[in-house]
Amino acid sequence: MEKAIGVFDSGLGGLTAVKELSELMPNENIIYLGDTARVPYGSRSPETLVRFAKQDLEFFFEQNVKAVLVACGTISTVALPVLKEMCPVFIEGVVSPAAKKAAEVTKNGKVAVIATNAAINSGEYGKELRAINSDLSVIEKACPMFVPIVENGYFGKNDPVAKLIVEDYLSEIKSSGADTLILGCTHYPILRPAIEEFLGPDITLVDSGKEAAKEVCRYIKESKQENESGAGGNVYYVTDEPSGFIPLAELFLNKKIGEVKKVSLGDDN
Ligand code: DGL
């Protein structure tokens, strides 16, 4: 089999990047890892996150992948430099691609970022945006309830739970004057219908997983590593019982995903 692209996250969020990668490069094989035994990542300390991130990445070494997409804003903000040092193949996180896109699309220079507690506390999105353009004004907000509501399936456009929490977290963003909002945690685009409905058409949403997927696609094409052997296939792994993951993944991806295998990454899962 041709080499695959490895994509990982704590749970369902990284599927937002998988969806984009599959659309951009339907011939590629993707191996997805959701660390569902330890989701959510966003409330953890940087030390714990670095440990989890190393174990996630090591899983892909055994799979002999040709590139790795860290489809997790939390890990991308706190552990990417460590992962880059360890990784023998191309590795991309979501922060830099999302920041680049936001800096490109904003018209009034006011960019808002929503992400997990750990990602916002790291300040990495703000740093990356200001490094691209020091005149940008950045508003950052943690939305810690978004991941649990997604992982529990409350993500339909008219879902009353999603609506209530979106309104509570995003009122401040709506009135801030920002014309661009980075969905800095890959779970958040799954709530896009509710977020769009609340914010209206005047704020452009930047999907961090999607932007990172475009970057990986660019690398695969430029380095001439495209899979030439026909239609690609995806394989999914999780670290906890797969029965909770499968229906929600299929609901979001709008297709059957086949068998999902359970793997163990470390002593604590
Ligand atoms: N989807 C991940 C992120 O982008 C992880 C969120 C979590 O597990 O808290 O941050």
Side-chain angles (χ1 to χ4, degrees), residues 4-8 29-32 60 65-70:
I5 300 170
V7 180
F8 75 88
N29 302 310
I30 297 171
I31 299 176
Y32 186 74
F60 290 112
V65 294
K66 60 185 173 189
V68 176
L69 173 49
V70 182

Side-chain angles (χ1 to χ4, degrees), residues 140-152:
E140 294 177 83
K141 167 121 184 125
C143 303
M145 281 297 287
F146 281 180
V147 170
I149 66 170
V150 166
E151 289 290 332
N152 287 286

Side-chain angles (χ1 to χ4, degrees), residues 172-188:
E172 198 180 317
I173 307 275
K174 195 175 180 174
S175 57
S176 70
D179 69 352
T180 304
L181 172 64
I182 297 180
L183 306 177
C185 164
T186 54
H187 277 75
Y188 297 3

Side-chain angles (χ1 to χ4, degrees), residues 11-254:
L12 291 165
L15 297 177
T16 56
V18 169
K19 200 173 191 175
E20 182 69 10
L21 271 182
S22 301
E23 273 168 30
L24 293 172
M25 297 186 295
N27 285 347
E28 294 301 323
N29 302 310
I30 297 171
I31 299 176
Y32 186 74
L33 171 66
D35 190 5
T36 51
R38 305 189 288 198
V39 65
Y41 276 5
S43 50
R44 314 265 184 179
S45 68
E47 294 72 27
T48 301
L49 290 166
V50 168
R51 183 161 54 87
F52 289 177
K54 285 178 170 174
Q55 291 169 342
D56 294 335
L57 182 60
E58 275 158 7
F59 167 77
F60 290 112
F61 295 169
E62 295 153 28
Q63 313 291 326
N64 196 24
V65 294
K66 60 185 173 189
V68 176
L69 173 49
V70 182
C72 174
T74 306
I75 297 297
S76 301
T77 52
V78 303
L80 195 60
V82 180
L83 299 185
K84 279 192 168 163
E85 258 179 48
M86 286 170 65
C87 191
V89 295
F90 177 82
I91 180 164
E92 181 61 277
V94 301
V95 177
S96 160
K100 256 191 240 160
K101 178 72 177 183
E104 199 182 292
V105 300
T106 180
K107 292 195 175 72
N108 69 5
K110 285 189 185 166
V111 177
V113 183
I114 53 172
T116 63
N117 274 325
I120 295 300
N121 289 343
S122 77
E124 284 300 317
Y125 273 106
K127 273 188 226 155
E128 194 75 31
L129 283 161
R130 284 185 215 95
I132 298 169
N133 179 352
S134 56
D135 291 335
L136 290 176
S137 134
V138 183
I139 302 128
E140 294 177 83
K141 167 121 184 125
C143 303
M145 281 297 287
F146 281 180
V147 170
I149 66 170
V150 166
E151 289 290 332
N152 287 286
Y154 295 92
F155 51 72
K157 181 173 181 175
N158 294 314
D159 187 287
V161 177
K163 265 188 157 175
L164 194 73
I165 298 178
V166 162
E167 192 179 325
D168 187 55
Y169 280 143
L170 301 190
S171 295
E172 198 180 317
I173 307 275
K174 195 175 180 174
S175 57
S176 70
D179 69 352
T180 304
L181 172 64
I182 297 180
L183 306 177
C185 164
T186 54
H187 277 75
Y188 297 3
I190 301 178
L191 289 170
R192 190 175 186 124
I195 294 174
E196 260 173 1
E197 169 96 352
F198 177 66
L199 292 179
D202 296 336
I203 301 188
T204 304
L205 304 184
V206 174
D207 178 331
S208 54
K210 190 170 178 172
E211 294 310 316
K214 288 184 198 163
E215 230 17 67
V216 171
C217 174
R218 187 192 50 73
Y219 163 75
I220 297 290
K221 289 190 172 159
E222 273 177 20
S223 59
K224 302 202 183 331
Q225 294 189 68
E226 287 164 273
N227 185 354
E228 315 242 289
S229 71
N234 295 355
V235 184
Y236 297 86
Y237 291 89
V238 289
T239 55
D240 205 345
E241 176 45 45
S243 58
F245 177 85
I246 297 170
L248 294 178
E250 290 184 341
L251 183 63
F252 172 67
L253 293 171
N254 200 19

